[in-house]
Amino acid sequence: MKRIGIDVGGTNTDAVLIDKTTVLGAVKSPTTSDVMSGVVNSIQRIVKEQGDARLDIDAVMIGTTHFTNAVVERARLDRVAAIRIALPASASLKPMVDWPADLRACVDPLTFMIEGGHEYDGRPLVPLDKNAIREAAAQIRDAGVTAVGITALFSPLTAECELEAAEIVASIVPDARITLSHRLGRIGLLERENVTLLNASLQSLGKATVAAFRDALKSVGIVAPFYLTQNDGTVVLAEVAAANPVYSFASGPTNSMRGAAFLSGRDEGMVIDVGGTTSDVGCLVNGFPREANNIVEVGGVRTLFRMPDLLPMALGGGTIIDPQTGKIGPRSVGYRITEKALVFGGDTLTTTDIAVAAGLVEIGDRDRVKHLDKSLVKQHLAGIHAMIEDGVDRMKTSAGDMPIIVVGGGAFLVPDRLAGVSEVIHVEHAGVANALGAAMAQVSGEVDQVFSGMTREAALASAQEIATRRAVEAGADVETINLVDAEDIPIAYLPGNARRVRARVVGTIGSPGMKLVA
């Protein structure tokens, strides 16, 4: 099965062509300001490399930073309507209470706080105020808002109120795009509501992004199904991803981690992905990124949902070094490195210039950095290595030394020896590990909810069934699905043998039913 994997980063757009587990071609191109032309350029180069060979492409996997960038840049976001079903509880803290003021102004929310929801043990708090839902829906319709996020108290335990409210809203606002919190977040009300509203604000961008990628692929002759990468190291059909764009947050680093696992043949260990702008340190568990179990901020918004446990650092191949103070970062020349770095004839000292001057890598014109003082070069390298060692130490969960796999276009910045590291593993194709991780990704299905009134075995079986159904909806072949992770935690003080169950399954992509000839 031939696939193309593409990863759009802040500095470079990488693409690979694989046939099962064999890498047939790999290219790295500068990311363009309009993104899509960079994607087209990368695919055209991949196709050109194959010469006259016939390409039967089964699928295209794309990793993109579109959605994270939209939140960070406060741009391309929809106005949202927030419906919280929790009164008389939670009245003192309104929706988006902890959002940065500029982001809140960008989505200009309509907020409604309505009676309903459930107690922690599944009992109704108060009856759902259906009339208030109807009135809210009418105001949403009259305001012309179509992005709606619905959050109910303890809905991960009992989703009844959210489902009923969604049905009412859809009957009054037929074109509404509704996000329900129990399908995304965990029990914490505010963080779950936050990710729900972020998702609602991004859905039209998700639809537009998928359409733009489809047009870009068609422009180079590709009509195969395509998928977007997710932040758990898997992929879903593009149309499914467009409905839940928040699951693409941090998908770039997870692509790199999956690529690192594939290239090194290791399922356990640490990974550092050194890009052009930033580096990400993470941990592999059973070949997949370790999941964060705490609150993760996205664009200044506190969220609690499925996210990889990563430590981002302002260190990359394009990181700027102040020649006066020797300070490394946090600013970077990004995709303009071929214009700004000294080795390319620019006037900005970067970490790449230091690496070239030290003889670690051959990039650009080494003669342009011969004037750099050797002692300063050594000093800057020591500072870079100290940053990496600190990042690794912060992500370790035990005091012992651990192996680390190095990937990314700036992998040359990582030395062969580091304090606290048992082995530094450099791999072939490290510069395009992100695109490779996308290309060989599987499809996943996940569930994280509370089950009660059944035995432990029945709860685990129900969770696996739900996760399997979600994987099939996302594009997995049901015959290939395997359970890769499951855990259950009994919940004290809840009746009915209640337990929180988390389960994840993965499978290969289903038969696409169509092929590409390029």
Side-chain angles (χ1 to χ4, degrees):
M1 176 179 284
K2 290 184 179 179
R3 302 181 186 175
I4 290 177
I6 301 168
D7 188 272
V8 182
T11 304
N12 293 301
T13 295
D14 301 333
V16 298
L17 172 65
I18 67 169
D19 185 357
K20 295 182 180 177
T21 60
T22 302
V23 180
L24 301 179
V27 300
K28 182 181 288 287
S29 303
T31 296
T32 54
S33 56
D34 65 345
V35 177
M36 294 305 165
S37 60
V39 171
V40 171
N41 292 340
S42 295
I43 296 176
Q44 286 176 332
R45 288 180 58 192
I46 279 282
V47 172
K48 186 177 180 181
E49 279 190 358
Q50 301 307 302
D52 296 328
R54 179 182 176 86
L55 292 181
D56 294 321
I57 303 299
D58 295 280
V60 179
M61 278 67 172
I62 302 175
T64 178
T65 58
H66 266 63
F67 308 121
T68 306
N69 291 347
V71 176
V72 172
E73 295 169 6
R74 282 41 172 163
R76 305 180 298 282
L77 301 174
D78 288 343
R79 187 183 186 192
V80 301
I83 298 177
R84 182 195 291 175
I85 304 169
L87 290 180
S90 79
S92 59
L93 297 175
K94 294 183 179 180
M96 301 189 187
V97 64
D98 57 346
W99 284 41
D102 57 344
L103 182 57
R104 181 185 173 91
C106 185
V107 298
D108 188 19
L110 283 173
T111 61
F112 304 92
M113 300 179 70
I114 292 168
E115 291 186 352
H118 289 78
E119 297 275 13
Y120 66 90
D121 59 1
R123 292 177 299 156
L125 179 67
V126 294
L128 175 65
D129 190 341
K130 298 178 184 178
N131 287 331
I133 295 287
R134 294 187 185 96
E135 292 173 6
Q139 291 184 48
I140 293 168
R141 178 198 59 203
D142 295 344
V145 176
T146 56
V148 182
I150 301 177
T151 306
L153 194 63
F154 287 110
S155 62
L157 279 70
T158 306
E160 177 185 332
C161 285
E162 288 188 1
L163 294 171
E164 195 166 357
E167 188 176 342
I168 294 171
V169 172
S171 68
I172 297 173
V173 192
D175 58 343
R177 297 183 304 279
I178 302 172
T179 300
L180 303 182
S181 76
H182 74 274
R183 294 178 180 169
L184 295 176
R186 296 174 184 162
I187 290 177
L189 177 67
L190 294 182
E191 292 81 13
R192 175 161 46 90
E193 182 178 63
N194 284 345
V195 74
T196 300
L197 298 176
L198 281 176
N199 194 77
S201 71
L202 288 164
Q203 281 186 327
S204 65
L205 176 62
K207 184 176 180 180
T209 298
V210 166
F213 276 129
R214 183 178 290 109
D215 291 343
L217 295 174
K218 285 183 178 179
S219 71
V220 291
I222 295 179
V223 292
F226 74 99
Y227 299 72
L228 293 187
T229 61
Q230 304 284 277
N231 58 16
D232 64 348
T234 62
V235 293
V236 296
L237 285 165
E239 291 75 13
V240 177
N244 295 301
V246 293
Y247 280 148
S248 290
F249 290 168
S251 63
T254 58
N255 291 341
S256 295
M257 294 184 69
R258 287 287 287 150
F262 172 75
L263 290 169
S264 66
R266 302 201 182 194
D267 289 340
E268 307 284 338
M270 302 193 71
V271 177
I272 181 167
D273 174 23
V274 188
T277 304
T278 60
S279 295
D280 292 283
V281 183
C283 219
L284 283 173
V285 179
N286 296 324
F288 287 87
R290 183 175 69 199
E291 188 173 325
N293 280 320
N294 54 358
I295 289 169
V296 177
E297 285 198 4
V298 180
V301 177
R302 289 161 50 90
T303 68
L304 185 58
F305 75 119
R306 185 190 78 196
M307 285 285 280
D309 189 10
L310 297 170
L311 175 67
M313 300 189 299
L315 175 67
T319 298
I320 298 172
I321 298 177
D322 189 323
Q324 304 299 322
T325 65
K327 182 181 178 183
I328 303 170
R331 293 188 304 120
S332 170
V333 296
Y335 65 84
R336 300 181 65 191
I337 188 170
T338 54
E339 305 170 17
K340 294 292 187 179
L342 297 182
V343 292
F344 293 110
D347 58 2
T348 305
L349 179 63
T350 68
T351 53
T352 293
D353 297 315
I354 296 299
V356 172
L360 300 179
V361 65
E362 301 228 356
I363 298 176
D365 184 356
R366 188 175 181 182
D367 289 339
R368 296 181 182 275
V369 291
K370 278 187 175 180
H371 66 281
L372 296 177
D373 184 87
K374 290 184 179 180
S375 62
L376 283 177
V377 169
K378 187 175 181 180
Q379 180 182 329
H380 293 322
L381 278 180
I384 291 169
H385 298 167
M387 290 177 67
I388 295 170
E389 289 173 346
D390 180 64
V392 170
D393 191 58
R394 290 172 62 186
M395 288 300 291
K396 289 164 64 176
T397 56
S398 62
D401 292 353
M402 292 186 66
I404 187 166
I405 308 162
V406 184
V407 295
F412 53 81
L413 294 176
V414 182
D416 291 332
R417 291 188 179 182
L418 288 169
V421 173
S422 60
E423 181 184 7
V424 177
I425 305 165
H426 290 274
V427 294
E428 188 181 9
H429 302 300
V432 291
N434 47 6
L436 184 57
M440 47 79 68
Q442 295 174 292
V443 181
S444 72
E446 186 178 18
V447 63
D448 181 357
Q449 75 180 57
V450 175
F451 295 84
S452 62
M454 61 180 71
T455 64
R456 175 178 182 270
E457 291 71 21
L460 289 169
S462 295
Q464 185 172 350
E465 182 181 346
I466 295 170
T468 298
R469 184 175 67 250
R470 291 177 178 175
V472 172
E473 290 171 353
D477 180 350
V478 68
E479 299 296 330
T480 67
I481 289 178
N482 291 309
L483 180 68
V484 296
D485 187 27
E487 66 174 358
D488 68 296
I489 304 172
I491 302 178
Y493 311 116
L494 291 190
N497 196 26
R499 61 186 63 247
R500 175 187 176 186
V501 181
R502 297 171 62 186
R504 183 162 60 128
V505 301
V506 298
T508 60
I509 63 172
S511 300
M514 53 197 310
K515 295 219 175 184
L516 150 77
V517 176

Coordinates of all heavy atoms in Angstrom, one line a residue, residues 2 37 76 81 98 103 122 124 189 202 208 270 313 316 318-319 348-349 394 404 407 435 456 478 480 482-483 513 517:
K2 N 0.7 2.1 -1.0 CA 1.5 3.3 -1.1 C 0.8 4.5 -0.5 O -0.4 4.7 -0.8 CB 1.9 3.6 -2.6 CG 2.9 2.6 -3.2 CD 3.2 3.0 -4.6 CE 4.3 2.1 -5.2 NZ 4.6 2.4 -6.6
S37 N 0.5 26.2 -1.2 CA 1.5 26.1 -2.3 C 2.7 25.3 -1.8 O 3.3 24.6 -2.6 CB 1.9 27.5 -2.8 OG 2.5 28.3 -1.8
R76 N -9.4 33.8 12.1 CA -10.2 32.8 11.4 C -11.1 31.9 12.3 O -11.4 30.8 12.0 CB -9.2 31.9 10.6 CG -8.3 32.6 9.6 CD -7.4 31.7 8.8 NE -6.5 30.9 9.7 CZ -5.4 31.4 10.3 NH1 -5.1 32.7 10.0 NH2 -4.6 30.7 11.0
A81 N -21.7 30.4 20.2 CA -22.8 30.4 21.3 C -22.5 29.3 22.3 O -22.3 28.2 21.9 CB -24.2 30.2 20.6
D98 N -12.1 32.4 32.1 CA -10.6 32.5 32.2 C -9.9 32.6 30.9 O -8.7 32.4 30.8 CB -10.1 31.3 32.9 CG -10.5 30.0 32.3 OD1 -11.4 30.0 31.4 OD2 -10.0 28.9 32.6
L103 N -8.8 36.8 22.9 CA -9.4 35.7 22.3 C -10.9 35.6 22.5 O -11.6 35.3 21.6 CB -8.7 34.4 22.9 CG -9.2 33.1 22.3 CD1 -9.0 33.0 20.8 CD2 -8.5 31.9 23.0
G122 N -24.9 10.7 39.0 CA -25.8 10.4 37.9 C -27.2 10.9 38.1 O -28.1 10.8 37.2
P124 N -30.3 13.5 38.4 CA -30.6 14.8 37.9 C -30.4 15.9 39.0 O -30.9 15.7 40.1 CB -32.0 14.8 37.4 CG -32.3 13.3 37.2 CD -31.5 12.6 38.2
L189 N -15.7 20.8 34.7 CA -16.6 21.6 33.9 C -16.0 22.7 33.1 O -16.2 22.7 31.9 CB -17.7 22.2 34.8 CG -18.7 23.1 34.2 CD1 -19.6 22.2 33.2 CD2 -19.6 23.8 35.2
L202 N -13.7 26.6 15.7 CA -12.8 26.1 14.6 C -13.4 25.3 13.5 O -12.8 25.0 12.5 CB -11.6 25.3 15.3 CG -10.6 26.1 16.1 CD1 -9.8 25.2 16.9 CD2 -9.7 26.9 15.2
A208 N -13.1 24.5 5.7 CA -12.4 25.2 4.7 C -11.0 24.6 4.5 O -10.5 24.5 3.3 CB -12.3 26.7 5.1
M270 N 12.5 8.1 25.3 CA 12.2 9.5 25.1 C 12.5 9.9 23.6 O 13.3 9.3 22.9 CB 13.0 10.4 26.0 CG 12.8 10.0 27.5 SD 13.4 11.3 28.6 CE 12.3 12.6 28.4
M313 N 10.2 23.6 23.7 CA 11.3 24.5 24.0 C 11.6 25.4 22.8 O 11.4 25.0 21.7 CB 12.5 23.7 24.3 CG 12.4 22.7 25.5 SD 14.0 22.0 25.9 CE 14.5 21.2 24.4
G316 N 15.5 25.6 18.0 CA 15.4 25.0 16.7 C 16.5 25.4 15.8 O 17.4 26.3 16.2
G318 N 16.5 27.4 13.5 CA 16.4 28.8 13.1 C 16.4 29.8 14.3 O 16.2 31.0 14.2
T319 N 16.6 29.2 15.5 CA 16.6 30.0 16.7 C 17.7 31.1 16.7 O 18.9 30.8 16.3 CB 16.8 29.2 18.0 OG1 15.7 28.2 18.1 CG2 16.9 30.0 19.2
T348 N 21.7 37.4 10.3 CA 21.2 37.0 11.7 C 21.9 35.7 12.1 O 22.0 34.7 11.4 CB 19.7 36.7 11.6 OG1 19.0 37.9 11.1 CG2 19.2 36.4 13.0
L349 N 22.5 35.8 13.3 CA 23.2 34.6 13.9 C 22.2 33.6 14.4 O 21.4 34.0 15.3 CB 24.1 35.1 15.0 CG 24.9 33.9 15.7 CD1 25.9 33.2 14.7 CD2 25.7 34.5 16.9
R394 N 13.3 17.3 32.8 CA 12.0 17.7 33.2 C 10.9 16.8 32.8 O 9.9 16.7 33.4 CB 11.7 19.1 32.7 CG 12.5 20.2 33.3 CD 12.3 21.6 32.6 NE 10.9 22.0 32.7 CZ 10.5 23.1 32.1 NH1 11.3 23.8 31.3 NH2 9.2 23.5 32.2
I404 N 17.3 8.3 24.3 CA 16.5 9.3 23.6 C 16.7 9.2 22.1 O 17.8 9.0 21.6 CB 16.9 10.7 24.1 CG1 15.9 11.8 23.5 CG2 18.3 11.1 23.8 CD1 16.0 13.1 24.2
V407 N 15.1 13.3 16.3 CA 14.5 13.5 15.0 C 14.3 15.0 14.7 O 14.5 15.8 15.6 CB 13.2 12.7 14.8 CG1 13.3 11.2 14.9 CG2 12.1 13.2 15.8
A435 N 6.7 13.6 8.8 CA 5.9 13.2 7.6 C 5.8 11.6 7.5 O 4.8 11.1 7.2 CB 6.5 13.7 6.3
R456 N -17.3 -5.0 36.2 CA -16.1 -4.5 35.6 C -15.9 -5.0 34.2 O -15.6 -4.3 33.3 CB -14.9 -4.8 36.5 CG -13.6 -4.4 35.9 CD -12.4 -4.7 36.8 NE -11.1 -4.3 36.3 CZ -10.4 -5.0 35.5 NH1 -10.7 -6.3 35.2 NH2 -9.2 -4.5 35.0
V478 N -12.5 -2.6 10.3 CA -12.9 -3.3 11.5 C -12.2 -4.6 11.7 O -12.0 -5.0 12.9 CB -14.5 -3.5 11.5 CG1 -14.8 -4.6 10.4 CG2 -15.0 -3.9 12.9
T480 N -9.1 -5.2 11.4 CA -7.7 -5.0 11.9 C -7.6 -4.4 13.2 O -6.5 -4.1 13.7 CB -6.9 -4.2 10.8 OG1 -7.5 -2.8 10.8 CG2 -7.0 -4.8 9.5
N482 N -7.4 -3.5 17.0 CA -6.8 -4.1 18.2 C -6.9 -3.1 19.4 O -6.7 -1.9 19.2 CB -5.4 -4.5 18.1 CG -5.2 -5.7 17.1 OD1 -5.9 -6.7 17.2 ND2 -4.3 -5.5 16.1
L483 N -7.1 -3.7 20.6 CA -7.1 -2.9 21.8 C -5.6 -2.6 22.2 O -4.9 -3.6 22.4 CB -7.8 -3.6 22.9 CG -7.9 -2.9 24.3 CD1 -8.8 -1.6 24.2 CD2 -8.4 -3.8 25.4
G513 N -11.0 2.2 -1.9 CA -11.9 2.1 -3.0 C -11.6 2.9 -4.2 O -12.4 3.0 -5.2
V517 N -3.5 7.9 -10.1 CA -2.5 7.7 -11.1 C -1.9 9.0 -11.4 O -2.6 10.0 -11.8 CB -3.1 7.1 -12.4 CG1 -2.0 7.0 -13.5 CG2 -3.7 5.7 -12.2

